Amino acid sequence: MTVPHSTSPFTTSLRSHLAGSLRVADAGTKVRLGGWVHRSRNLGGIVFIDLRDREGIVQVSFGTDWSTAECIAQAAAVGVESVVMIEGMVVARTGETRNSEMGSGDVEVRATVIEVVGPAETPALPVARGKGEKLPSEELRLRHRYLDLRRPELQQSLILRHRLMQVTRRHLSERGYLELETPILTKPTPEGARDYLVPSRVHPGEFYALPQSPQIYKQLFMVSGFDRYFQIARCFRDEDLRADRQPEFTQIDIEASFVRSDDILALAQGLIGALWREAGHEIPAHFERMTYQVAMEKYGCDRPDLRYGLEIKDYTETFRGIEFGITQSALAAGGRVRGIVVPGASTWSRKQVDELEAIAKGAGALGLLRVKKAEGKYDGPIAKFLTPEAQSSLALEEGSLALFVAGADRITSPALDRVRQECAIRLGLVDETARRFLIVTDFPMFDRDPESGALGAVHHPFTAPNPADMTAFPDEPHRWRALAYDIVLNGLELGGGSIRTHDYATQSRMFALLGIGDRDEQERRFGFLLEGLRAGAPPHGGIAFGVDRIAMLLSGATSLRDVIAFPKTTTARALFEGAPTQVSADEMRALHLRPESA
RNA sequence: GGGGGCGUAGCUCAGUUUGGUUAGAGCACUCGACUGUCACUCGAGAGGUCGCGGGUUCGAGCCCCGUCGCUCCCGCCA
């Protein structure tokens, strides 16, 4: 059989066109197609097969005027999800027989030949679903992933992901960034998340780790003078999972030399713009900016959703003169009273506000104080404590509800953050079509463990502290800001990075502040970075973006699993291939591992 | 590590509240009819370890204990 001529890059020696690509312009063309039987309709004298490939679906018809009886019988007998090759003529459909819901709905292929090249058993889960029909369970979809991945939605998501990767490579390459690879078998890092460990056969009792990120390697590229690096890097973290967290995930990892924060942020905005444009969205060339301090003060979190207001305000002075035990004790302990005013919420029931209080308590608050203004009067449990001065200071609008949390900022911020988000949802303030990009800067360098008081790195130990803060507060490192930044969209972190420490003395001091004061210990853990810093390191910095989340947002998927071809379950299992799995005693012995004793 | 939800036919679900004859529906599947359908339609049929194990009971899909799997959340994730 000869394959009709076509200039499509998809033309092969077996087929001429992709089924889903056929249009009216192809009418009159003889085609040979290969694809999956999406659905079929047998009307007796005429049989229809919806033939599916990655471009879409085309209707193939088998009728007595153009097909042999044997051909029609074969078409009627083939099962769904079987792979068939058909040969036929593209004809324009007329009138009622057109299907406007299909890309190829103005044509059909009148088949003269059908060959079942890959017969399918009845599929374990349906690929073609009726309108409104639910998806099979996640477990089945993962167990039969090859079938789930036939669904056009998943194919489109992965195709978009491919395009985003191509845009990334082109955008960065055009700007002088080199795509350089880093090892997957690396050195365990004591900081951060748990490592996935790989036992060494050659070196008994020693282990590699899979990288949590290529952080140190990309800094060493800068030390080596490559100047601009990027990688679409797989990263691994052995922590418990969430809907938006997989044990292995992909980052767009970027590092550049002789830069300050604004150089990296300009590049990042350009790249985000290119990615969103690829998905069909024009976005602002310059993102809004906010310091960490302002973000925490007004929104209670470091990645605020700016699609709605309900900003947090400080009501400490309003409450200072009020004889109310809860706020008095919080203020006496050095805390503040902060809150949000929710317009139109005075009608919320006691139960509805109690639910908000439960959310606040879940975030660590002792309680949620409430007062509303209805029919010109202040009302609620604390209304009778409010002096006239306090009332005029509050100045509530008619119909609004004020919610307060008292205590230290580390309590009030997360509590009010959650309450704010819930109120926005209840009031329908979240505009799903809005895109509010935000750059958050000036993160603190360190945070304190509330129990031990020990300093920890907010970003990571290689982030450079703000030199001005080091000068101004030389002995108060907890007051230092970091040269770190995050890029946020609608309350979701898309990526983050920092300018790095590039001199040995500062880096060594950072380690000391983080509890690794011993020089030998520093060398043992981070020697390969410290050596590099002593060998002539340029000022450098970078950023990393979460590819999976970006692909999820731009494809409209609701789970990371829908933009990852072969994802893991929430217990980090791969249901399709069955990993992890037990290994034989011989294999364990070769790796110098012993089974856990009872 | 902790908490919530789910698990019944190949798939999606009902049935569990109040234990009781042979566990149902839609889709898919098999057979038959049908020449313009597009979630074709119509007729007939087959299909069940009620996740698994144990217990209570004359009797368990249903009650109790344990366990496994999926999922969502808290802790965790520099």
Side-chain angles (χ1 to χ4, degrees):
Chain A
M1 183 180 298
T2 56
V3 172
H5 175 75
S6 163
T7 55
S8 160
F10 294 102
T11 300
T12 68
S13 54
L14 288 178
R15 69 158 178 225
S16 65
H17 295 73
L18 283 181
S21 70
L22 296 174
R23 296 294 181 270
V24 169
D26 299 301
T29 308
K30 195 177 176 195
V31 295
R32 187 164 159 81
L33 308 174
W36 285 258
V37 176
H38 190 66
R39 245 194 280 270
S40 64
R41 295 171 291 284
N42 178 2
L43 278 65
I46 187 165
V47 174
F48 299 98
I49 285 179
D50 290 342
L51 188 68
R52 184 191 70 236
D53 59 27
R54 81 177 218 198
E55 278 293 294
I57 293 170
V58 74
Q59 172 169 280
V60 182
S61 62
F62 301 79
T64 48
D65 290 349
W66 59 90
S67 314
T68 63
E70 188 196 353
C71 179
I72 296 174
Q74 280 179 298
V78 65
V80 291
E81 295 311 315
S82 296
V83 179
V84 298
M85 304 223 56
I86 66 107
E87 191 172 295
M89 184 71 76
V90 180
V91 298
R93 298 206 224 172
T94 55
E96 295 285 293
T97 69
R98 278 197 280 257
N99 183 344
S100 60
E101 290 176 19
M102 248 175 165
S104 68
D106 288 337
V107 297
E108 68 175 9
V109 177
R110 297 200 168 165
T112 52
V113 178
I114 180 169
E115 188 186 345
V116 181
V117 296
E121 298 170 356
T122 300
L125 50 89
V127 177
R129 281 175 308 137
K131 288 166 189 158
E133 192 177 322
K134 280 192 189 171
L135 283 174
S137 71
E138 195 83 32
E139 184 179 355
L140 280 159
R141 290 177 50 201
L142 293 176
R143 202 174 292 286
H144 306 284
R145 193 61 169 171
Y146 52 93
L147 282 175
D148 200 36
L149 286 172
R150 288 182 184 179
R151 288 168 41 228
E153 302 97 298
L154 282 194
Q155 294 209 344
Q156 288 312 306
S157 293
L158 292 182
I159 288 168
L160 175 64
R161 184 176 176 135
H162 157 81
R163 286 165 43 208
L164 297 174
M165 296 300 89
Q166 297 311 306
V167 165
T168 299
R169 289 197 160 94
R170 191 171 67 237
H171 190 90
L172 294 172
S173 296
E174 284 172 354
R175 284 156 184 79
Y177 286 80
L178 303 170
E179 183 169 9
L180 302 172
E181 294 177 89
T182 53
I184 293 296
L185 295 175
T186 74
K187 182 184 168 82
T189 51
E191 299 278 324
R194 269 189 290 273
D195 286 319
Y196 275 100
L197 294 176
V198 179
S200 165
R201 175 182 56 83
V202 184
H203 304 287
E206 299 183 26
F207 293 80
Y208 303 95
L210 306 183
Q212 296 182 29
S213 83
Q215 180 62 35
I216 291 176
Y217 293 104
K218 70 176 177 177
Q219 290 190 239
L220 291 170
F221 280 140
M222 298 304 103
V223 169
S224 298
F226 285 97
D227 197 80
R228 293 181 171 200
Y229 143 96
F230 83 96
Q231 185 178 197
I232 296 173
R234 195 62 64 84
C235 307
F236 307 85
R237 292 178 191 174
D238 188 4
E239 294 291 344
D240 289 344
L241 305 177
R242 291 284 189 281
D244 61 349
R245 211 194 289 163
Q246 283 273 308
E248 56 178 309
F249 58 98
T250 307
Q251 285 189 344
I252 300 170
D253 196 43
I254 298 172
E255 196 79 3
S257 293
F258 302 104
V259 292
R260 289 202 277 227
S261 297
D262 282 348
D263 298 297
I264 297 295
L265 290 170
L267 177 79
Q269 288 172 88
L271 176 60
I272 292 286
L275 292 171
W276 259 252
R277 196 170 307 121
E278 181 66 18
H281 309 293
E282 283 299 328
I283 63 170
H286 298 285
F287 300 169
E288 293 171 71
R289 288 199 181 206
M290 188 180 291
T291 64
Y292 171 89
Q293 191 192 350
V294 169
M296 294 304 291
E297 185 62 27
K298 289 168 75 172
Y299 303 98
C301 81
D302 61 5
R303 46 180 171 84
D305 190 339
L306 299 185
R307 288 176 296 176
Y308 47 89
L310 302 179
E311 290 175 11
I312 298 166
K313 292 195 168 55
D314 185 341
Y315 294 95
T316 303
E317 292 314 312
T318 304
F319 279 87
R320 194 173 295 285
I322 292 173
E323 298 291 328
F324 186 66
I326 292 167
T327 55
Q328 287 298 310
S329 58
L331 295 180
R336 295 196 287 162
V337 180
R338 300 165 72 201
I340 61 175
V341 174
V342 189
S346 67
T347 55
W348 287 356
S349 68
R350 167 78 190 265
K351 177 163 170 282
Q352 285 175 301
V353 182
D354 283 348
E355 285 165 3
L356 289 174
E357 178 163 43
I359 289 169
K361 284 181 171 173
L366 289 172
L368 185 68
L369 302 172
R370 58 195 75 174
V371 62
K372 64 185 175 185
K373 191 171 187 187
E375 295 167 10
K377 288 188 309 218
Y378 283 78
D379 191 16
I382 62 169
K384 62 174 179 285
F385 295 98
L386 293 178
T387 59
E389 297 77 38
Q391 291 191 10
S392 62
S393 161
L394 267 179
L396 284 189
E397 302 248 335
E398 173 68 22
S400 55
L401 168 72
L403 300 164
F404 307 99
V405 179
D409 288 359
R410 69 182 158 77
I411 301 293
T412 58
S413 284
L416 288 167
D417 170 36
R418 303 257 180 107
V419 169
R420 173 178 174 267
Q421 291 186 43
E422 173 63 20
C423 289
I425 292 168
R426 285 189 188 182
L427 292 170
L429 298 178
V430 185
D431 178 356
E432 295 295 341
T433 66
R435 278 184 285 274
R436 293 292 296 270
F437 289 91
L438 174 69
I439 294 170
V440 180
T441 61
D442 296 289
F443 283 79
M445 184 69 211
F446 303 105
D447 57 12
R448 257 189 221 286
D449 185 305
E451 277 154 34
S452 67
L455 290 181
V458 168
H459 189 58
H460 58 53
F462 319 115
T463 297
N466 187 317
D469 293 345
M470 294 179 77
T471 306
F473 320 109
D475 301 319
E476 298 172 281
H478 62 279
R479 296 179 67 176
W480 298 352
R481 289 167 297 171
L483 300 178
Y485 32 80
D486 274 1
I487 295 193
V488 173
L489 169 62
N490 296 349
L492 296 171
E493 184 189 329
L494 299 179
S498 64
I499 299 301
R500 326 298 182 188
T501 295
H502 72 281
D503 71 285
Y504 168 74
T506 307
Q507 186 64 66
S508 180
R509 187 171 173 211
M510 288 303 123
F511 286 139
L513 289 168
L514 291 166
I516 316 170
D518 183 74
R519 287 291 167 100
D520 290 342
E521 175 87 354
Q522 291 181 9
E523 293 296 331
R524 194 171 60 72
R525 291 187 179 184
F526 298 106
F528 66 127
L529 173 68
L530 295 173
E531 274 181 49
L533 296 185
R534 287 193 297 263
H540 63 284
I543 195 165
F545 294 99
V547 168
D548 308 287
R549 177 173 283 169
I550 287 173
M552 179 176 92
L553 288 172
L554 290 178
S555 68
T558 53
S559 164
L560 277 196
R561 291 183 293 269
D562 286 350
V563 295
I564 297 172
F566 299 101
K568 305 283 191 290
T569 69
T570 49
T571 55
R573 266 190 191 286
L575 293 182
F576 177 40
E577 64 270 40
T581 187
Q582 297 196 329
V583 298
S584 71
D586 283 350
E587 287 170 293
M588 299 256 308
R589 256 191 302 279
L591 295 169
H592 319 285
L593 299 174
R594 272 188 298 276
E596 193 175 15
S597 48

